[in-house]
Amino acid sequence: MNQPKIQQLSSEQLAEVDSALLDLPTRGSLIYDSPDQAIHRFQVDQLDLIAKSYSLRTFRQKAAAFFKNSRADRSYRAGLRLRKAGINTPQPFLLRRHKSQHILVTEFCPHKALLEWLEGGEELPRSVPINILKLLHQLADLQCSHGDFHARNLLIDQEGIPHLIDLDGVQSNSSQSAIIRDRDRLLKSLKPLQNHYQDYLSVLGAPGSPLPELSKS
């Protein structure tokens, strides 16, 4: 698999990003909105970026943010850790606090979600299931789990390589059962698509069973 590169923004780019964050409704396009989170896509100096704004509405959320344990903080740290380990995930660039929000800025990942590929009936490389199994083994070797390993949170590029998104549920642990739960969550999200479900089941193993070894897949 292609290894992700670690990037950094220049001081000029950081200044322009900060300026854009102050006026996201006009500088960016809204692609998701809920009471807890808004996602804008915007451009800075030919960089295609995403700003995830996490609302701090409750005392618990504000306290977690104070101790650097907000969803934005967790996503930022997880993104850096996964990329350092060679796992494809959008490059996290910076965190900002603005009023009652924590904002995480990452690169925009242009690939479609696995669920979107399959529901649209588009042909994917045959390597996708084994590449997902490799990703699960990478997470196991790193002793962490995703927490919401769903077909919407796996973006697949044209070469069949998965890119992991939505990292605020990533947990550090040494339990194989956490990785099994990740795998089982993915299979559950694919089960309505029976014509594809069996293909992934045959590679990833049955729900509740140990993760298959790569050498046997």
Side-chain angles (χ1 to χ4, degrees), residues 8-116:
Q8 290 185 332
L9 298 180
S10 67
S11 57
E12 292 81 6
Q13 289 171 326
L14 284 171
E16 191 170 346
V17 167
D18 281 329
S19 177
L21 293 181
L22 294 174
D23 194 22
L24 275 177
T26 57
R27 286 289 302 269
S29 57
L30 182 66
I31 58 177
Y32 178 80
D33 192 23
S34 75
D36 293 316
Q37 184 184 153
I39 302 177
H40 288 83
R41 180 180 176 184
F42 66 107
Q43 282 73 39
V44 163
D45 192 26
Q46 297 183 335
L47 291 174
D48 203 351
L49 302 173
I50 286 289
K52 284 190 175 183
S53 305
Y54 297 89
S55 297
L56 307 177
R57 297 186 296 122
T58 68
F59 174 79
R60 183 177 180 180
Q61 290 170 334
K62 293 174 183 177
F66 179 81
F67 291 105
K68 296 187 176 181
N69 195 33
S70 69
R71 294 174 67 189
D73 284 299
R74 296 197 303 270
S75 296
Y76 180 80
R77 293 195 301 269
L80 291 177
R81 183 183 181 194
L82 295 184
R83 287 182 70 89
K84 186 176 180 180
I87 294 174
N88 287 288
T89 191
Q91 168 72 46
F93 285 119
L94 73 153
L95 287 167
R96 287 293 185 264
R97 177 74 177 266
H98 180 58
K99 297 181 180 179
S100 61
Q101 294 180 325
H102 260 200
I103 303 175
L104 169 66
V105 177
T106 72
E107 67 178 333
F108 171 72
C109 189
H111 313 303
K112 289 191 293 188
L114 174 60
L115 192 63
E116 187 179 356

Side-chain angles (χ1 to χ4, degrees), residues 129 187 190-191 193-205:
L187 290 174
L190 294 174
K191 197 165 186 179
L193 306 173
Q194 276 296 317
N195 53 330
H196 299 291
Y197 175 72
Q198 293 299 327
D199 294 336
Y200 286 81
L201 186 70
S202 65
V203 174
L204 301 177

Side-chain angles (χ1 to χ4, degrees), residues 123-140:
E123 186 173 348
L124 275 169
R126 295 172 62 87
S127 60
V128 172
I130 190 66
N131 286 341
I132 292 175
L133 181 60
K134 289 178 182 177
L135 172 57
L136 287 164
H137 276 280
Q138 283 181 291
L139 291 171

Side-chain angles (χ1 to χ4, degrees), residues 81 142-145 169-175:
R81 183 183 181 194
L142 198 56
Q143 296 189 342
C144 73
S145 58
V170 169
Q171 301 255 339
S172 295
N173 54 67
S174 57
S175 171

